[in-house]
Amino acid sequence: MAHLQLSAVAGRPAAAGGRGDEMEDVALLDSYDEEMGMPPAGGAAAGEEEAAAEAHVRVTGMTCSACTSAVEAAVSARRGVRRVAVSLLQNRAHVVFDPALAKVEDIIEAIEDAGFEAEIIPDSAVSQPKSQKTLSAQFRIGGMTCANCVNSVEGILKKLPGVKGAVVALATSLGEVEYVPSAISKDEIVQAIEDAGFEAAFLQSSEQDKILLGLIGLHTERDVEVLHDILKKMDGSRQFDVNTVLSEVEIVFDPEAVGLRSIVDTIEMGSNGRLKAHVQNPYTRGASNDAQEASKMLNLLRSSLFLSIPVFFIRMVCPSIPFLSTLLSMHCGPFLMGDLLKWILVSIVQFVVGKRFYVAAFRALRHGSTNMDVLVVLGTTASYVYSVCALLYGAFTGYRPPVYFETSAMIITFVLFGKYLEVLAKGKTSDAIKKLVELVPSTALLVLKDKEGKHVGEREIDALLVQPGDVLKVLPGSKVPADGVVVWGTSHVNESMITGESAPVPKEVSSVVIGGTINLHGILHIQATKVGSGTVLSQIISLVETAQMSKAPIQKFADYVASIFVPIVITLSIVTFSVWFLCGWLGAYPNSWVSENSNCFVFSLMFAISVVVIACPCALGLATPTAVMVATGIGANHGVLVKGGDALERAQNVNYVVFDKTGTLTQGKAVVTTAKVFSGMDLGDFLTLVASAEASSEHPLAKAVLDYAFHFHFFGKLPSSKDGIEQRKDEVLSQWLLEAEDFSAVPGKGVQCSINGKHVLVGNRTLITENGVTIPPEAENFLVDLESNAKTGILVAFDGDFVGLMGVTDPLKREAADYVLVRNNLEDVITAIDLSRKTFSRIRWNYFFAMAYNVVAIPVAAGALFPFTGLQMPPWLAGACMAFSSVSVVCSSLLLRRYRKPRLTTVLQITVE
């Protein structure tokens, strides 16, 4: 398997005296398929990235892969569109385009012209994580009196890490700073200016973000005016758009100047509590739209049933009831009462309830594509038009040929019934995402502190309003609202919903916690480090969504078949009609095959309609995406994150997995992650001692120790250029390090030397114990914990006493794998491969069912068995078969939810007695 990423997300206790273990960033979203429009890291020029814009569109009305192809073709044809990916199951399109050449409105128009309804999905309600792009910000700087002050401030700013440039104007007391927000924050810039003896305040930045807020209390024009006044006066507000119908407001704001929680609080306080704003959760909104679609389909089905049942009753039941038969045989002008009632009822079904089929079919044909709607319209219209013609012919000639109004009504009813079941079934394929979304708590308990950092109270807030740096109180039994670090308290946390590990994980000060996990016992105070879309849980959700939108290569087969399916079916229908009609006209079959009140034309027409109606392209189109959607969700539940259908398909062919850890799975460069002192020695003195001992060693771990100590002492105190750092580093090392005498390296154990006349040992457990140094129990426990997390422990003894230890590791590679294993367990590689094989076995079965259905059903509907068995499939029954065929494929994919990961003992054929 060419790509594999093992990512540890479960936090462990950190050094009490150091900065602690920080949860390594799991770059889950940096490996979008090309279909998603996201180039791989480093794969696009900066100019191209800046010029590209993205749009997520909800597309309604797609029924098969031919529909997705039609949408992709229509959007791709628009000028400025770069990439398009369409998901049938999610009813979504992801479009990457050049904003200078195309607008969102153009994309919507293209989709609607292709015969589908389109709606822009609002931007995520949670602020997106800051990228590596550069921002420009203005600061008001007070206390400057001359040019020297200006030069001083500019010099200070330019030396800050992450600052690309700075210009200060004395006349206006303003400074403009160009900086990378991921490297330095605006508050740190303000602090640097104040440390230099000047006053500083942030004004605004070039950054902007967008948020969609729901409003409670927006009823009158006066309420709208109040909201406008509040937003106009609010610092950082760029523009806004109020939707009074939906009681929503979309705000474009400067996230460097105003926070999301501040916006919500300002609206509430500025209106004296009359208006209450809340963040619109995009996942909740999506679920609401899905529920609306199901409700809409159910209403159409009810209407169709309400009108079709009387038609069926008039045709099949009433002739057997003398009173009703006599009543319906009465004349109303030139028409029989029964025929007239059927005409009226079926006309409503055909053109009111069935309007959606006509609209979709017309738009598809206008753009040269075909889909299931075309087949439904052809079949029902043929039946309806014939029946109307037969009715009018009988009214004016007295000879009344049979009418088949109930055929078109029942076809539409069965198709709607099948579509309703399909919507419900497809909804179950996304249960995994729904369960992940439900892990996020709705509220969080914010700890309020005064300027001195003392606890002065608590406040319950919307969990979507949590900001980095907030201190949150997590009660026993409640969910952790955001990724963060424990700053007070001890407890155990259930992380099984994220990592799959059933055993509770102990947490103490400096331990990392993951949003969505459950606090079991004690009270914890955590400081939020990542919120919104930056959390591990949000990235997992986004990864699963991305995987479900991507197409597996095997889907190309279904796309090709779907592109030619409808024309082939229409051709077969014409051939069927022609053969039966010509054979009847030439007397090739006995007249007894045709009923007394019918004729050769009607007899042939019913076969042709059955062929059109029974054919189902939807089953082919749903065979792959439904299985991929279920499989990616199941994988997430088992701690295996799959980055798309392509990766899922390729894993089934893996026979051997070769692990080459250093430099392949890892970065190939050791780094110190933890330093903890177990004596009264200061941490800085401890690092100086260790670095002095390791300075003469050539071992890679020694270099890691030296770099860590140097970084600890001199971070932010050296020139910003790389050459300047290296030059200054060499100068500082000779002055900073202590002189080490009698240095010797002990192979496989460590180093020893004398510093200030005292013996120093730096190495592994063996080196320390062989020299008679006792390791304290708390240090031993800490060392075991490090080793269990694949970290190397470096123990340090000074003058015969144990003083501390350091944790060293080779970090895992981030920014490009197709699989991410959430847990620290290589057995999940087996799970990934097994899941891939089970999934594609199910996909093959889906294709077999879909193909076998059409191969068998179409000849039966065409009357292939009629000469031998007398079996004729009426069109309404053909419609029922077509409706249930796609449902059966979706249900087949849902069987993957019963997947159980393989036991290692079974895989290795180990017998446990």
Side-chain angles (χ1 to χ4, degrees), residues 381-641:
T381 302
S383 175
Y384 178 83
V385 170
Y386 162 76
S387 298
V388 171
C389 292
L391 183 64
L392 295 176
Y393 179 81
F396 292 104
T397 64
Y399 173 74
R400 301 184 183 279
V403 294
Y404 294 93
F405 282 118
E406 71 282 352
T407 296
S408 63
M410 295 305 293
I411 288 174
I412 290 177
T413 300
F414 278 118
V415 170
L416 288 175
F417 182 52
K419 285 297 167 189
Y420 174 65
L421 293 180
E422 185 180 313
V423 168
L424 296 181
K426 287 195 295 187
K428 293 183 181 298
T429 64
S430 60
D431 278 351
I433 287 184
K434 294 176 183 176
K435 291 178 180 178
L436 289 172
V437 172
E438 291 170 357
L439 293 178
V440 183
S442 57
T443 60
L445 205 56
L446 178 66
V447 176
L448 304 177
K449 295 185 177 182
D450 57 18
K451 295 182 179 179
E452 299 177 356
K454 294 182 180 179
H455 184 182
V456 296
E458 299 168 357
R459 173 189 170 196
E460 189 175 44
I461 63 171
D462 191 325
L464 295 174
L465 299 180
V466 174
Q467 299 173 168
D470 285 346
V471 177
L472 308 171
K473 183 177 182 180
V474 186
L475 300 174
S478 62
K479 296 178 180 178
V480 177
D483 292 356
V485 178
V486 177
V487 296
W488 179 88
T490 59
S491 182
H492 284 74
V493 173
N494 179 6
E495 298 181 344
S496 61
M497 64 289 300
I498 301 294
T499 66
E501 294 284 359
S502 58
V505 180
K507 300 294 179 182
E508 59 182 24
V509 174
S510 297
S511 295
V512 173
V513 290
I514 306 173
T517 55
I518 300 176
N519 181 27
L520 297 179
H521 302 301
I523 296 177
L524 294 176
H525 284 189
I526 68 164
Q527 185 173 39
T529 56
K530 295 181 180 179
V531 300
S533 58
T535 63
V536 169
L537 182 58
S538 293
Q539 292 191 49
I540 290 175
I541 293 172
S542 297
L543 178 72
V544 174
E545 285 185 323
T546 301
Q548 292 177 347
M549 282 197 69
S550 66
K551 289 184 179 180
I554 196 174
Q555 178 69 21
K556 294 178 181 178
F557 167 72
D559 293 342
Y560 171 74
V561 173
S563 66
I564 61 175
F565 186 87
V566 175
I568 289 177
V569 169
I570 294 174
T571 302
L572 290 176
S573 176
I574 295 174
V575 170
T576 299
F577 174 82
S578 302
V579 170
W580 280 108
F581 182 75
L582 288 174
C583 289
W585 185 57
L586 296 174
Y589 54 79
N591 293 331
S592 59
W593 285 9
V594 183
S595 59
E596 294 181 0
N597 60 345
S598 184
N599 56 52
C600 177
F601 176 84
V602 176
F603 182 68
S604 305
L605 181 64
M606 290 300 104
F607 281 121
I609 293 176
S610 294
V611 169
V612 169
V613 173
I614 203 169
C616 184
C618 298
L620 283 169
L622 292 171
T624 296
T626 52
V628 169
M629 177 170 277
V630 175
T632 50
I634 292 298
N637 291 338
H638 287 86
V640 178
L641 305 181

Side-chain angles (χ1 to χ4, degrees), residues 355-373:
K355 176 184 175 181
R356 64 184 301 274
F357 298 113
Y358 279 95
V359 172
F362 171 73
R363 289 177 174 172
L365 291 172
R366 188 174 65 180
H367 287 83
S369 62
T370 54
N371 55 22
M372 187 206 72
D373 298 307

Side-chain angles (χ1 to χ4, degrees), residues 31 168 208 336 649 722 773:
S31 185
V168 178
Q208 69 177 30
L336 295 179
E649 180 170 349
K722 183 176 181 181
V773 179

